[in-house]
């Protein structure tokens, strides 16, 4: 206030004069959103330049054009033309169908948007977690306070800088407004920002050892956009959506079944080789496979699942290389542990012997699977324990039922509880895609003397019935993230305190809840391994769920491209892939 000019302002004015004197001669850059047929007016170009200078030289976090966009605007102003747009496209075919133009409300859009709205963390090929939009993190001794230090060179696609405030807003916002993130709202006590260190501090009401893993899955949202949106789950837009990755989500086109990502003009990191990335989704796996083999798309991707086993042999070895890896996802039977006969562990034990696991392995995995163990957790996971294999033994299933007073008093082939004359007919609730397995399961149960009626519903209805425990059995699946989330080893599917569309949250046994809390509280690796072993012993003894098979994932890589990467969490849909993949010359 002493009347002296601000030094930043002097630098800004000087740089502005320099820029005005030479910008018309600059032709390199990125087309951005300025392409059009009309020459920019003097006022439009001046506003663009001023916005850029305010952000670059005066340190203001304002929406502005990138230097490349600004140079191209000046070129258009001076010569009336733009350089040719980069029209190269990487096309990905997927059976993961986008059902709504909603960044937050649509499940698969949210997964695909990891490319545009980078989560804080990411997983490497070896399963190691490291920073993505975060440079690094620190955690308090009691695992309640997590500090994430953001990378300094991240910018939203509208030109504003990614700030700690954006991170604090994201987790407070989704914790309150997104049901699947309700656990965040229940446990996040406070947020604080440290702009000096470009850091955000998140404080929770209980220890959370696995938070770095959780935060490899939640997309960051720009506060200056989403603070105006009351209901993010219901909010829809065909785009563009502001993002902070190497690409932003430009369009969600339900008519052409495509997500279109375009280069973020403000991305400061390694520049990707393609001008755009397109996700083409198909109604069936077979259609997605045909698109790959015919060259309509460059690669195939299905979240948390293998390339279809039946289609592997149709891939030409000259065009594709095949990589197999143990999957930590699986298909399993979920049981209602709150009421009905499935609440009885002796009844669940009998069911476990009624299932023909070898037949399911043959039919469902075509040789790419194996009979699972009682410990539920597949061998690809850390601290895997070799519990006893699940065994198909109908005679033993009947013996166990009889010993637990489930008998067939009227001789109709279906058991009753304590011979009360009321047949036990289980409600087998499924979604689309599980009918074949449900039909087999019904046959297996009936052979052991247990009735079952299949009830197939749409996904939304399944969510509601499952959350209200209005079923006896359901067939569902885990994802790699699902097996790793919460306290790990699949606990997030069963802990009754957990929220989310795909979880059963059916276990409120204090013994199990204590195991989860102890895992989340410890930082001792030996103790963590012991607790992981205890979880698997609990699964083996209490049978809260029954895996149908373990499997291996098959990933086809197009030999026309190099630079593919993959990780256990999201497969090839990883940031490193999009930064490194490029056509092989010649």
């Amino acid at each position: 206030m002493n009347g002296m000019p601000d030094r930043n302002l002097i630098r800004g004015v000087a740089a502005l004069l320099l820029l005005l004197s030479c910008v018309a001669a600059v032709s390199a850059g990125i087309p951005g959103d300025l392409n059009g047929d009309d020459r920019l007016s003097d006022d439009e170009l001046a506003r663009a330049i001023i916005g850029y200078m305010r952000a670059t030289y005066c340190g203001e976090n304002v929406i502005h054009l990138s230097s490349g966009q600004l140079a191209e605007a000046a070129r258009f102003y001076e010569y009336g033309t733009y350089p040719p747009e980069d029209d190269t496209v990487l096309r990905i075919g997927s059976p993961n169908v986008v059902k709504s133009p909603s960044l937050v409300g649509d499940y698969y859009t949210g997964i695909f948007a990891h490319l545009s709205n980078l989560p804080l963390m990411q997983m490497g090929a070896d399963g190691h977690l490291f920073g993505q939009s975060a440079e690094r993190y620190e955690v308090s001794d009691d695992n309640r306070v997590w500090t994430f230090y953001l990378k300094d060179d991240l910018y939203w696609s509208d030109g504003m800088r990614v700030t700690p405030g954006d991170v604090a807003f994201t987790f407070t916002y989704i914790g309150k407004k997104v049901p699947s993130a309700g656990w965040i709202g229940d446990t996040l006590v406070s947020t604080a920002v440290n702009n000096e260190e470009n850091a955000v501090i998140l404080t929770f009401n209980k220890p959370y050892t696995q938070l770095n893993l959780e935060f490899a899955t939640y997309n960051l949202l720009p506060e200056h956009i989403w603070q105006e949106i009351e209901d993010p789950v219901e909010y829809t837009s065909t785009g563009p959506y502001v993002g902070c990755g190497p690409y932003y989500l430009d369009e969600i086109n339900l008519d052409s079944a495509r997500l279109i990502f375009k280069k973020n003009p403000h991305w400061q990191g390694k520049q990707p080789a393609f001008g755009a990335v397109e996700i083409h989704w198909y109604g069936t796996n077979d259609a997605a496979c045909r698109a790959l083999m015919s060259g309509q798309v460059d690669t195939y991707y299905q979240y948390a699942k293998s390339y279809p086993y039946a289609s592997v042999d149709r891939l030409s070895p000259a065009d594709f290389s095949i990589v197999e890896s143990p999957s930590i996802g699986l298909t399993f039977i979920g049981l209602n542990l709150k009421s009905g006969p499935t609440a009885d562990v002796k009844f669940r034990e009998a069911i476990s012997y009624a299932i023909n696991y070898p037949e399911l392995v043959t039919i469902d995995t075509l040789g790419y699977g194996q009979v699972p163990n009682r410990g539920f957790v597949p061998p690809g996971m850390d601290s895997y324990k070799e519990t006893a294999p699940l065994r198909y033994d109908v005679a033993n299933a009947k013996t166990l039922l009889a010993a637990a007073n489930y008998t067939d008093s009227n001789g109709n082939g279906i058991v009753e509880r304590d011979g009360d004359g009321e047949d036990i007919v289980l409600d087998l609730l499924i979604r689309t895609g599980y009918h074949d397995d449900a039909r087999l399961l019904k046959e297996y149960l009936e052979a052991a003397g247990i009735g079952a009626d299949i009830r197939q519903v749409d996904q939304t209805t399944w969510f509601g019935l499952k959350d209200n425990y209005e079923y006896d059995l359901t067939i569902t699946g885990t994802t790699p993230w699902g097996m790793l989330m919460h306290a790990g080893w699949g606990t997030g599917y069963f802990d009754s305190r957990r929220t989310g569309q795909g979880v059963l949250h059916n276990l409120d046994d204090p013994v199990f809840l204590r195991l989860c809390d102890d895992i989340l509280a410890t930082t001792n690796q030996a103790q963590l391994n012991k607790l992981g072993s205890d979880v698997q012993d609990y699964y083996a003894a209490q049978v809260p769920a029954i895996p149908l098979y373990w499997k291996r994932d098959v990933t086809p890589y197009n030999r026309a491209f190099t630079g593919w990467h993959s990780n256990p969490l999201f497969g090839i849909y990883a940031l490193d892939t999009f930064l490194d993949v490029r056509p092989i010359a010649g």
Side-chain angles (χ1 to χ4, degrees), residues 493-504:
Y493 285 102
F494 309 118
D495 189 326
S496 59
R497 302 165 296 182
R498 186 79 186 182
T499 60
Q501 292 179 329
V503 305
L504 298 180

Side-chain angles (χ1 to χ4, degrees), residues 507-551:
L507 251 179
D508 56 11
D509 180 357
V511 174
F512 179 77
L513 300 184
R514 174 58 65 87
L515 278 173
C516 293
D517 290 344
D518 287 348
I519 290 170
L520 292 170
T522 186
T523 56
N524 182 288
Q525 188 60 50
Q527 177 69 7
L528 192 61
N529 293 339
K530 171 64 168 57
L531 290 167
S533 173
D534 291 345
V535 166
Q536 293 168 76
D537 285 339
Y538 182 93
Y539 292 151
Q542 297 299 317
V543 202
I546 304 171
L548 297 183
Y549 47 81
W550 291 332
K551 59 185 179 178

Side-chain angles (χ1 to χ4, degrees), residues 463-486:
F463 291 149
L465 294 172
K466 174 264 302 180
D467 286 343
N468 291 320
Y469 308 107
E470 296 179 28
Y471 67 96
D472 292 310
L473 305 174
T474 187
I475 302 177
T476 187
T478 73
T479 64
W481 177 70
M483 292 299 291
L484 294 165
M485 69 178 178
H486 188 45

Side-chain angles (χ1 to χ4, degrees), residues 159-179:
M160 292 193 73
R161 187 167 169 264
V162 178
T163 68
D166 289 317
V167 179
F169 166 80
T170 294
F171 293 112
T172 302
Y173 180 71
I174 65 174
K176 291 179 179 178
K177 297 180 180 291
V178 180

Side-chain angles (χ1 to χ4, degrees), residues 83 118 138 275 298 322 341 355 372 382 387 475:
L118 302 180
E138 296 173 354
D298 302 311
I322 302 297
I355 299 166
D382 287 342
T387 56
I475 302 177

Side-chain angles (χ1 to χ4, degrees), residues 98 113 117 217 269 282 346 446 465 534 540 582:
V98 171
N117 295 69
T217 64
Y282 300 86
K346 295 178 181 178
E446 290 176 346
L465 294 172
D534 291 345
R582 60 198 65 245

